[in-house]
């Protein structure tokens, strides 16, 4: 579980710009925007500011005054499973959207201009997992990378990795790297010379409820303390805290069911 960043930004530093294909933003659409702010604000120490009006009711999550993620409100008549959505950096969102379509993916929103959020689109890969594409005019995406409360890794849980990983390779220029140590159907995606995300094939049974989806990992200072806090806030632990080669981690869900991981780096 290794985060890849663009030209700058690590260990809690401000970030200037992300290279194409690198995850540059993450957002969550929810039914209860106020309740979500209370949950994630307590869990990660986030503060919130209004988001772009073009995107409907939304807020930007901040740490130390710097953007780290976005939350938005779903229309009342829409009841899809809530899920964190990573956005991949692109120098030309329209061209990337065309490539997504030609590779068997779909574009459900945009491309559109969203004020300070820049130009963006939201689509899904051939297996149905939702992702975003984003280009901002000045800075691109998350201002703060590294440190507790920030997104540090994204893993796609899908039926099988080969076909879907090929899609991301074509759409975003990722390089595929098999990761035998992580499992028999696991591929690491690389961009700008670094690992940026992973694709894990888990078969149809574990995905029957939600379908293929991205799982975002957020760094915390202490996973066990974060799990205890999460339980008190109404969240659920899906995979208890355990040690891995990349640090101690746990998988959880917020009160609306959006899944994410908590990770504590090796000490």
């Amino acid at each position: 579980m290794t985060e890849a960043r663009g030209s700058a930004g690590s260990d809690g530093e401000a970030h200037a710009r992300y290279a194409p294909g690198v995850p540059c933003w993450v957002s969550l659409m929810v039914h209860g925007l106020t309740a979500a702010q209370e949950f994630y604000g307590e869990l990660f120490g986030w503060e919130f500011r209004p988001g772009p009006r073009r995107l409907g009711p939304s807020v930007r999550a901040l740490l130390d005054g710097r953007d780290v993620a976005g939350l938005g409100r779903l229309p009342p008549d829409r009841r899809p499973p809530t899920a964190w959505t990573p956005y991949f950096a692109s120098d030309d969102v329209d061209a990337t959207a065309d490539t997504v379509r030609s590779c068997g993916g779909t574009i459900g929103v945009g491309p559109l201009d969203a004020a300070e959020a820049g130009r963006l689109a939201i689509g899904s890969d051939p297996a149905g997992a939702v992702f975003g594409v984003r280009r901002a005019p000045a800075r691109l995406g998350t201002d703060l990378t590294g440190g507790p409360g920030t997104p540090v890794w994204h893993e796609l849980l899908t039926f099988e990795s080969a076909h879907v990983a090929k899609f991301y390779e074509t759409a975003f220029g990722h390089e595929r790297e098999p990761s035998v140590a992580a499992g028999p159907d696991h591929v690491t995606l690389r961009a700008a010379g670094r690992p940026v995300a992973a694709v894990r094939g888990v078969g149809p049974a574990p995905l029957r409820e939600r379908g293929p989806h991205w799982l975002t990992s957020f760094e915390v200072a202490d996973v066990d303390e974060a799990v205890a806090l999460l339980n008190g806030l109404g969240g659920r632990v899906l995979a208890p805290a355990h040690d891995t080669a990349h640090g101690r981690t746990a998988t959880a869900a917020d009160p609306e069911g959006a899944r994410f991981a908590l990770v504590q780096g090796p000490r």
Side-chain angles (χ1 to χ4, degrees):
M1 186 179 295
T2 304
E3 182 189 12
R5 306 175 180 91
S7 58
S10 61
D11 301 324
E13 296 179 356
H15 181 79
R17 185 175 178 83
Y18 285 84
V22 173
C24 63
W25 186 246
V26 65
S27 70
L28 174 66
M29 298 296 291
V30 297
H31 303 289
L33 186 56
T34 300
Q37 291 177 72
E38 293 172 353
F39 174 83
Y40 288 103
E42 288 289 333
L43 184 62
F44 294 136
W46 291 349
E47 297 178 343
F48 299 93
R49 299 289 185 274
R53 294 183 180 180
R54 180 75 184 273
L55 302 180
S58 65
V59 294
R60 296 174 294 122
L62 295 87
L63 276 173
D64 299 324
R66 298 171 181 169
D67 290 347
V68 292
L71 300 175
R73 180 182 296 146
L74 285 164
D77 59 340
R78 293 191 59 195
R79 308 299 298 182
T82 55
W84 281 98
T85 299
Y87 285 67
F88 295 96
S90 172
D91 287 336
D92 189 330
V93 173
D94 295 77
T96 299
D98 287 341
T99 303
V100 166
R101 295 186 187 99
S102 69
C103 295
T106 61
I107 296 295
V109 177
L112 56 83
D113 292 317
E116 67 271 21
R119 192 157 182 81
L120 58 84
I122 300 173
S124 57
D125 65 30
V130 177
F131 61 88
V133 187
R134 189 177 182 191
R135 184 183 192 280
R139 67 179 192 275
L140 186 57
T142 302
D143 284 345
L144 193 65
T145 54
T150 65
V152 292
W153 187 246
H154 306 276
E155 182 173 69
L156 174 60
L157 304 180
T158 190
F159 301 123
E160 58 86 24
S161 66
H163 178 65
V164 175
K166 177 64 177 177
F167 165 83
Y168 287 94
E169 178 184 43
T170 305
F172 296 103
H174 292 143
E175 298 177 355
R176 293 178 291 163
E177 180 180 63
S179 182
V180 178
D185 195 11
H186 187 277
V187 174
T188 298
L189 300 178
R190 299 176 63 90
R194 303 185 180 100
V196 296
V199 180
R200 182 184 297 274
V202 298
L207 299 173
R208 189 173 293 115
E209 178 186 351
R210 304 183 64 86
H213 60 277
W214 284 92
L215 183 73
T216 295
S217 296
F218 294 91
E219 184 174 338
V220 293
D222 188 298
V223 164
D224 297 276
E225 290 181 2
V227 165
L229 177 58
L230 177 141
N231 284 326
L233 294 170
R236 293 183 295 121
V237 176
L238 304 177
H242 59 284
D243 295 319
T244 73
H246 304 290
R248 192 161 177 79
T249 185
T251 305
D254 68 18
E256 287 199 18
R259 301 179 180 188
F260 60 96
L262 304 168
V263 60
Q264 169 188 329
R267 293 180 175 177

